[in-house]
PDB file of all heavy atoms in Angstrom:
ATOM      1  N   LEU A   1     -66.917 186.408   9.949  1.00 88.00           N
ATOM      2  CA  LEU A   1     -68.185 186.978  10.421  1.00 88.00           C
ATOM      3  C   LEU A   1     -68.564 186.412  11.768  1.00 88.00           C
ATOM      4  O   LEU A   1     -69.002 187.170  12.662  1.00 88.00           O
ATOM      5  CB  LEU A   1     -69.311 186.677   9.405  1.00 88.00           C
ATOM      6  CG  LEU A   1     -69.223 187.455   8.089  1.00 88.00           C
ATOM      7  CD1 LEU A   1     -70.336 186.976   7.148  1.00 88.00           C
ATOM      8  CD2 LEU A   1     -69.388 188.951   8.330  1.00 88.00           C
ATOM      9  N   GLN A   2     -68.364 185.130  11.974  1.00 89.00           N
ATOM     10  CA  GLN A   2     -68.698 184.491  13.250  1.00 89.00           C
ATOM     11  C   GLN A   2     -67.823 185.127  14.361  1.00 89.00           C
ATOM     12  O   GLN A   2     -68.310 185.384  15.456  1.00 89.00           O
ATOM     13  CB  GLN A   2     -68.455 183.007  13.194  1.00 89.00           C
ATOM     14  CG  GLN A   2     -69.498 182.255  12.350  1.00 89.00           C
ATOM     15  CD  GLN A   2     -69.312 180.769  12.432  1.00 89.00           C
ATOM     16  OE1 GLN A   2     -69.113 180.204  13.491  1.00 89.00           O
ATOM     17  NE2 GLN A   2     -69.376 180.134  11.290  1.00 89.00           N
ATOM     18  N   SER A   3     -66.533 185.327  14.095  1.00 93.00           N
ATOM     19  CA  SER A   3     -65.659 185.855  15.119  1.00 93.00           C
ATOM     20  C   SER A   3     -66.065 187.297  15.487  1.00 93.00           C
ATOM     21  O   SER A   3     -65.943 187.702  16.642  1.00 93.00           O
ATOM     22  CB  SER A   3     -64.187 185.814  14.698  1.00 93.00           C
ATOM     23  OG  SER A   3     -63.946 186.632  13.621  1.00 93.00           O
ATOM     24  N   LYS A   4     -66.554 188.081  14.513  1.00 91.00           N
ATOM     25  CA  LYS A   4     -66.968 189.427  14.816  1.00 91.00           C
ATOM     26  C   LYS A   4     -68.219 189.434  15.696  1.00 91.00           C
ATOM     27  O   LYS A   4     -68.375 190.254  16.593  1.00 91.00           O
ATOM     28  CB  LYS A   4     -67.207 190.210  13.505  1.00 91.00           C
ATOM     29  CG  LYS A   4     -65.923 190.554  12.824  1.00 91.00           C
ATOM     30  CD  LYS A   4     -66.140 191.275  11.513  1.00 91.00           C
ATOM     31  CE  LYS A   4     -64.800 191.574  10.849  1.00 91.00           C
ATOM     32  NZ  LYS A   4     -64.934 192.271   9.581  1.00 91.00           N
ATOM     33  N   VAL A   5     -69.118 188.516  15.407  1.00 89.00           N
ATOM     34  CA  VAL A   5     -70.340 188.415  16.243  1.00 89.00           C
ATOM     35  C   VAL A   5     -69.939 187.947  17.668  1.00 89.00           C
ATOM     36  O   VAL A   5     -70.481 188.425  18.663  1.00 89.00           O
ATOM     37  CB  VAL A   5     -71.399 187.515  15.623  1.00 89.00           C
ATOM     38  CG1 VAL A   5     -72.598 187.341  16.542  1.00 89.00           C
ATOM     39  CG2 VAL A   5     -71.876 188.086  14.286  1.00 89.00           C
ATOM     40  N   LYS A   6     -68.994 187.003  17.760  1.00 92.00           N
ATOM     41  CA  LYS A   6     -68.505 186.541  19.065  1.00 92.00           C
ATOM     42  C   LYS A   6     -67.825 187.680  19.794  1.00 92.00           C
ATOM     43  O   LYS A   6     -67.935 187.822  21.026  1.00 92.00           O
ATOM     44  CB  LYS A   6     -67.570 185.332  18.878  1.00 92.00           C
ATOM     45  CG  LYS A   6     -68.310 184.061  18.508  1.00 92.00           C
ATOM     46  CD  LYS A   6     -67.344 182.904  18.277  1.00 92.00           C
ATOM     47  CE  LYS A   6     -68.110 181.656  17.827  1.00 92.00           C
ATOM     48  NZ  LYS A   6     -67.225 180.583  17.446  1.00 92.00           N
ATOM     49  N   GLU A   7     -67.116 188.502  19.044  1.00 92.00           N
ATOM     50  CA  GLU A   7     -66.456 189.674  19.673  1.00 92.00           C
ATOM     51  C   GLU A   7     -67.519 190.640  20.201  1.00 92.00           C
ATOM     52  O   GLU A   7     -67.327 191.185  21.292  1.00 92.00           O
ATOM     53  CB  GLU A   7     -65.568 190.355  18.597  1.00 92.00           C
ATOM     54  CG  GLU A   7     -64.758 191.511  19.106  1.00 92.00           C
ATOM     55  CD  GLU A   7     -63.890 192.137  18.021  1.00 92.00           C
ATOM     56  OE1 GLU A   7     -63.373 191.437  17.153  1.00 92.00           O
ATOM     57  OE2 GLU A   7     -63.779 193.403  18.020  1.00 92.00           O
ATOM     58  N   SER A   8     -68.580 190.789  19.465  1.00 90.00           N
ATOM     59  CA  SER A   8     -69.699 191.644  19.905  1.00 90.00           C
ATOM     60  C   SER A   8     -70.299 191.086  21.216  1.00 90.00           C
ATOM     61  O   SER A   8     -70.639 191.809  22.135  1.00 90.00           O
ATOM     62  CB  SER A   8     -70.766 191.776  18.833  1.00 90.00           C
ATOM     63  OG  SER A   8     -70.241 192.430  17.723  1.00 90.00           O
ATOM     64  N   LEU A   9     -70.472 189.785  21.254  1.00 90.00           N
ATOM     65  CA  LEU A   9     -71.025 189.098  22.425  1.00 90.00           C
ATOM     66  C   LEU A   9     -70.075 189.361  23.627  1.00 90.00           C
ATOM     67  O   LEU A   9     -70.517 189.707  24.701  1.00 90.00           O
ATOM     68  CB  LEU A   9     -71.171 187.611  22.184  1.00 90.00           C
ATOM     69  CG  LEU A   9     -71.627 186.770  23.388  1.00 90.00           C
ATOM     70  CD1 LEU A   9     -72.986 187.262  23.918  1.00 90.00           C
ATOM     71  CD2 LEU A   9     -71.720 185.299  22.980  1.00 90.00           C
ATOM     72  N   GLY A  10     -68.808 189.211  23.394  1.00 92.00           N
ATOM     73  CA  GLY A  10     -67.829 189.483  24.492  1.00 92.00           C
ATOM     74  C   GLY A  10     -67.887 190.933  24.975  1.00 92.00           C
ATOM     75  O   GLY A  10     -67.870 191.213  26.157  1.00 92.00           O
ATOM     76  N   ALA A  11     -68.066 191.827  24.028  1.00 90.00           N
ATOM     77  CA  ALA A  11     -68.130 193.276  24.409  1.00 90.00           C
ATOM     78  C   ALA A  11     -69.409 193.549  25.213  1.00 90.00           C
ATOM     79  O   ALA A  11     -69.331 194.282  26.216  1.00 90.00           O
ATOM     80  CB  ALA A  11     -68.129 194.128  23.129  1.00 90.00           C
ATOM     81  N   THR A  12     -70.524 192.948  24.814  1.00 89.00           N
ATOM     82  CA  THR A  12     -71.758 193.198  25.596  1.00 89.00           C
ATOM     83  C   THR A  12     -71.663 192.576  26.950  1.00 89.00           C
ATOM     84  O   THR A  12     -72.182 193.114  27.935  1.00 89.00           O
ATOM     85  CB  THR A  12     -72.991 192.696  24.831  1.00 89.00           C
ATOM     86  OG1 THR A  12     -72.852 191.293  24.586  1.00 89.00           O
ATOM     87  CG2 THR A  12     -73.223 193.432  23.529  1.00 89.00           C
ATOM     88  N   ARG A  13     -70.996 191.414  27.054  1.00 92.00           N
ATOM     89  CA  ARG A  13     -70.810 190.759  28.379  1.00 92.00           C
ATOM     90  C   ARG A  13     -70.007 191.709  29.293  1.00 92.00           C
ATOM     91  O   ARG A  13     -70.344 191.864  30.496  1.00 92.00           O
ATOM     92  CB  ARG A  13     -70.106 189.427  28.239  1.00 92.00           C
ATOM     93  CG  ARG A  13     -71.000 188.328  27.780  1.00 92.00           C
ATOM     94  CD  ARG A  13     -70.267 186.995  27.688  1.00 92.00           C
ATOM     95  NE  ARG A  13     -71.171 185.936  27.325  1.00 92.00           N
ATOM     96  CZ  ARG A  13     -70.800 184.814  26.738  1.00 92.00           C
ATOM     97  NH1 ARG A  13     -69.535 184.577  26.491  1.00 92.00           N
ATOM     98  NH2 ARG A  13     -71.696 183.912  26.455  1.00 92.00           N
ATOM     99  N   GLU A  14     -68.925 192.267  28.743  1.00 90.00           N
ATOM    100  CA  GLU A  14     -68.082 193.158  29.557  1.00 90.00           C
ATOM    101  C   GLU A  14     -68.858 194.396  30.019  1.00 90.00           C
ATOM    102  O   GLU A  14     -68.749 194.808  31.180  1.00 90.00           O
ATOM    103  CB  GLU A  14     -66.859 193.606  28.730  1.00 90.00           C
ATOM    104  CG  GLU A  14     -65.835 192.534  28.481  1.00 90.00           C
ATOM    105  CD  GLU A  14     -64.741 192.978  27.549  1.00 90.00           C
ATOM    106  OE1 GLU A  14     -64.573 194.176  27.317  1.00 90.00           O
ATOM    107  OE2 GLU A  14     -64.012 192.104  27.005  1.00 90.00           O
ATOM    108  N   LEU A  15     -69.595 194.992  29.090  1.00 88.00           N
ATOM    109  CA  LEU A  15     -70.392 196.150  29.453  1.00 88.00           C
ATOM    110  C   LEU A  15     -71.444 195.843  30.500  1.00 88.00           C
ATOM    111  O   LEU A  15     -71.629 196.536  31.476  1.00 88.00           O
ATOM    112  CB  LEU A  15     -71.043 196.779  28.204  1.00 88.00           C
ATOM    113  CG  LEU A  15     -70.120 197.427  27.200  1.00 88.00           C
ATOM    114  CD1 LEU A  15     -70.848 197.823  25.920  1.00 88.00           C
ATOM    115  CD2 LEU A  15     -69.438 198.632  27.836  1.00 88.00           C
ATOM    116  N   TYR A  16     -72.149 194.719  30.292  1.00 91.00           N
ATOM    117  CA  TYR A  16     -73.189 194.308  31.230  1.00 91.00           C
ATOM    118  C   TYR A  16     -72.564 194.073  32.619  1.00 91.00           C
ATOM    119  O   TYR A  16     -73.124 194.514  33.627  1.00 91.00           O
ATOM    120  CB  TYR A  16     -73.925 193.097  30.734  1.00 91.00           C
ATOM    121  CG  TYR A  16     -75.013 192.621  31.712  1.00 91.00           C
ATOM    122  CD1 TYR A  16     -76.162 193.373  31.914  1.00 91.00           C
ATOM    123  CD2 TYR A  16     -74.829 191.439  32.426  1.00 91.00           C
ATOM    124  CE1 TYR A  16     -77.126 192.963  32.801  1.00 91.00           C
ATOM    125  CE2 TYR A  16     -75.807 191.004  33.312  1.00 91.00           C
ATOM    126  CZ  TYR A  16     -76.962 191.809  33.511  1.00 91.00           C
ATOM    127  OH  TYR A  16     -77.919 191.358  34.421  1.00 91.00           O
ATOM    128  N   ALA A  17     -71.438 193.395  32.643  1.00 91.00           N
ATOM    129  CA  ALA A  17     -70.759 193.136  33.910  1.00 91.00           C
ATOM    130  C   ALA A  17     -70.395 194.427  34.626  1.00 91.00           C
ATOM    131  O   ALA A  17     -70.583 194.569  35.855  1.00 91.00           O
ATOM    132  CB  ALA A  17     -69.539 192.285  33.691  1.00 91.00           C
ATOM    133  N   ALA A  18     -69.880 195.404  33.864  1.00 90.00           N
ATOM    134  CA  ALA A  18     -69.476 196.681  34.483  1.00 90.00           C
ATOM    135  C   ALA A  18     -70.693 197.402  35.040  1.00 90.00           C
ATOM    136  O   ALA A  18     -70.654 197.901  36.163  1.00 90.00           O
ATOM    137  CB  ALA A  18     -68.777 197.558  33.445  1.00 90.00           C
ATOM    138  N   PHE A  19     -71.796 197.458  34.287  1.00 87.00           N
ATOM    139  CA  PHE A  19     -72.965 198.154  34.747  1.00 87.00           C
ATOM    140  C   PHE A  19     -73.668 197.417  35.881  1.00 87.00           C
ATOM    141  O   PHE A  19     -74.296 197.999  36.757  1.00 87.00           O
ATOM    142  CB  PHE A  19     -73.948 198.406  33.613  1.00 87.00           C
ATOM    143  CG  PHE A  19     -73.476 199.490  32.672  1.00 87.00           C
ATOM    144  CD1 PHE A  19     -73.252 199.208  31.317  1.00 87.00           C
ATOM    145  CD2 PHE A  19     -73.287 200.773  33.099  1.00 87.00           C
ATOM    146  CE1 PHE A  19     -72.840 200.183  30.472  1.00 87.00           C
ATOM    147  CE2 PHE A  19     -72.846 201.764  32.237  1.00 87.00           C
ATOM    148  CZ  PHE A  19     -72.629 201.471  30.897  1.00 87.00           C
ATOM    149  N   SER A  20     -73.545 196.089  35.881  1.00 89.00           N
ATOM    150  CA  SER A  20     -74.223 195.265  36.891  1.00 89.00           C
ATOM    151  C   SER A  20     -73.645 195.457  38.314  1.00 89.00           C
ATOM    152  O   SER A  20     -74.400 195.411  39.274  1.00 89.00           O
ATOM    153  CB  SER A  20     -74.196 193.779  36.543  1.00 89.00           C
ATOM    154  OG  SER A  20     -74.971 193.556  35.424  1.00 89.00           O
ATOM    155  N   VAL A  21     -72.367 195.619  38.387  1.00 90.00           N
ATOM    156  CA  VAL A  21     -71.731 195.756  39.712  1.00 90.00           C
ATOM    157  C   VAL A  21     -71.699 197.159  40.243  1.00 90.00           C
ATOM    158  O   VAL A  21     -71.489 197.390  41.430  1.00 90.00           O
ATOM    159  CB  VAL A  21     -70.327 195.141  39.740  1.00 90.00           C
ATOM    160  CG1 VAL A  21     -70.337 193.657  39.432  1.00 90.00           C
ATOM    161  CG2 VAL A  21     -69.387 195.842  38.768  1.00 90.00           C
ATOM    162  N   ALA A  22     -71.920 198.113  39.348  1.00 88.00           N
ATOM    163  CA  ALA A  22     -71.855 199.511  39.761  1.00 88.00           C
ATOM    164  C   ALA A  22     -73.068 199.944  40.582  1.00 88.00           C
ATOM    165  O   ALA A  22     -74.183 199.627  40.202  1.00 88.00           O
ATOM    166  CB  ALA A  22     -71.749 200.431  38.529  1.00 88.00           C
ATOM    167  N   LYS A  23     -72.820 200.541  41.714  1.00 87.00           N
ATOM    168  CA  LYS A  23     -73.911 201.067  42.541  1.00 87.00           C
ATOM    169  C   LYS A  23     -74.139 202.570  42.209  1.00 87.00           C
ATOM    170  O   LYS A  23     -75.172 203.132  42.511  1.00 87.00           O
ATOM    171  CB  LYS A  23     -73.577 200.949  44.025  1.00 87.00           C
ATOM    172  CG  LYS A  23     -73.313 199.538  44.448  1.00 87.00           C
ATOM    173  CD  LYS A  23     -74.578 198.722  44.495  1.00 87.00           C
ATOM    174  CE  LYS A  23     -74.280 197.346  45.088  1.00 87.00           C
ATOM    175  NZ  LYS A  23     -74.835 196.296  44.306  1.00 87.00           N
ATOM    176  N   SER A  24     -73.107 203.168  41.567  1.00 83.00           N
ATOM    177  CA  SER A  24     -73.216 204.579  41.147  1.00 83.00           C
ATOM    178  C   SER A  24     -72.335 204.748  39.933  1.00 83.00           C
ATOM    179  O   SER A  24     -71.519 203.882  39.615  1.00 83.00           O
ATOM    180  CB  SER A  24     -72.785 205.542  42.280  1.00 83.00           C
ATOM    181  OG  SER A  24     -71.398 205.457  42.464  1.00 83.00           O
ATOM    182  N   LEU A  25     -72.491 205.858  39.247  1.00 79.00           N
ATOM    183  CA  LEU A  25     -71.674 206.094  38.081  1.00 79.00           C
ATOM    184  C   LEU A  25     -70.195 206.242  38.442  1.00 79.00           C
ATOM    185  O   LEU A  25     -69.315 205.908  37.621  1.00 79.00           O
ATOM    186  CB  LEU A  25     -72.169 207.335  37.329  1.00 79.00           C
ATOM    187  CG  LEU A  25     -73.577 207.249  36.716  1.00 79.00           C
ATOM    188  CD1 LEU A  25     -73.989 208.601  36.130  1.00 79.00           C
ATOM    189  CD2 LEU A  25     -73.611 206.193  35.658  1.00 79.00           C
ATOM    190  N   GLN A  26     -69.921 206.663  39.697  1.00 83.00           N
ATOM    191  CA  GLN A  26     -68.540 206.790  40.124  1.00 83.00           C
ATOM    192  C   GLN A  26     -67.878 205.415  40.265  1.00 83.00           C
ATOM    193  O   GLN A  26     -66.637 205.309  40.249  1.00 83.00           O
ATOM    194  CB  GLN A  26     -68.448 207.580  41.436  1.00 83.00           C
ATOM    195  CG  GLN A  26     -68.696 209.022  41.309  1.00 83.00           C
ATOM    196  CD  GLN A  26     -70.176 209.352  41.119  1.00 83.00           C
ATOM    197  OE1 GLN A  26     -71.055 208.643  41.554  1.00 83.00           O
ATOM    198  NE2 GLN A  26     -70.491 210.463  40.398  1.00 83.00           N
ATOM    199  N   ASP A  27     -68.695 204.386  40.444  1.00 85.00           N
ATOM    200  CA  ASP A  27     -68.126 203.026  40.593  1.00 85.00           C
ATOM    201  C   ASP A  27     -67.609 202.466  39.255  1.00 85.00           C
ATOM    202  O   ASP A  27     -66.845 201.508  39.243  1.00 85.00           O
ATOM    203  CB  ASP A  27     -69.191 202.040  41.098  1.00 85.00           C
ATOM    204  CG  ASP A  27     -69.574 202.314  42.532  1.00 85.00           C
ATOM    205  OD1 ASP A  27     -68.822 203.013  43.251  1.00 85.00           O
ATOM    206  OD2 ASP A  27     -70.651 201.836  42.956  1.00 85.00           O
ATOM    207  N   LEU A  28     -68.015 203.075  38.162  1.00 84.00           N
ATOM    208  CA  LEU A  28     -67.614 202.602  36.820  1.00 84.00           C
ATOM    209  C   LEU A  28     -66.183 203.074  36.545  1.00 84.00           C
ATOM    210  O   LEU A  28     -65.817 204.212  36.808  1.00 84.00           O
ATOM    211  CB  LEU A  28     -68.543 203.159  35.768  1.00 84.00           C
ATOM    212  CG  LEU A  28     -69.957 202.652  35.776  1.00 84.00           C
ATOM    213  CD1 LEU A  28     -70.811 203.464  34.778  1.00 84.00           C
ATOM    214  CD2 LEU A  28     -70.018 201.168  35.407  1.00 84.00           C
ATOM    215  N   PRO A  29     -65.359 202.189  35.988  1.00 83.00           N
ATOM    216  CA  PRO A  29     -64.040 202.635  35.578  1.00 83.00           C
ATOM    217  C   PRO A  29     -64.194 203.745  34.506  1.00 83.00           C
ATOM    218  O   PRO A  29     -65.136 203.731  33.734  1.00 83.00           O
ATOM    219  CB  PRO A  29     -63.422 201.371  34.922  1.00 83.00           C
ATOM    220  CG  PRO A  29     -64.185 200.217  35.501  1.00 83.00           C
ATOM    221  CD  PRO A  29     -65.561 200.740  35.780  1.00 83.00           C
TER     222      PRO A  29
END
């Protein structure tokens, strides 16, 4: 259970990082 929550944390970090650097939707992979 702990690893799944940690996996969720990692996923949200990745998503936040992607949206944070994007200046437009075209900047998103």
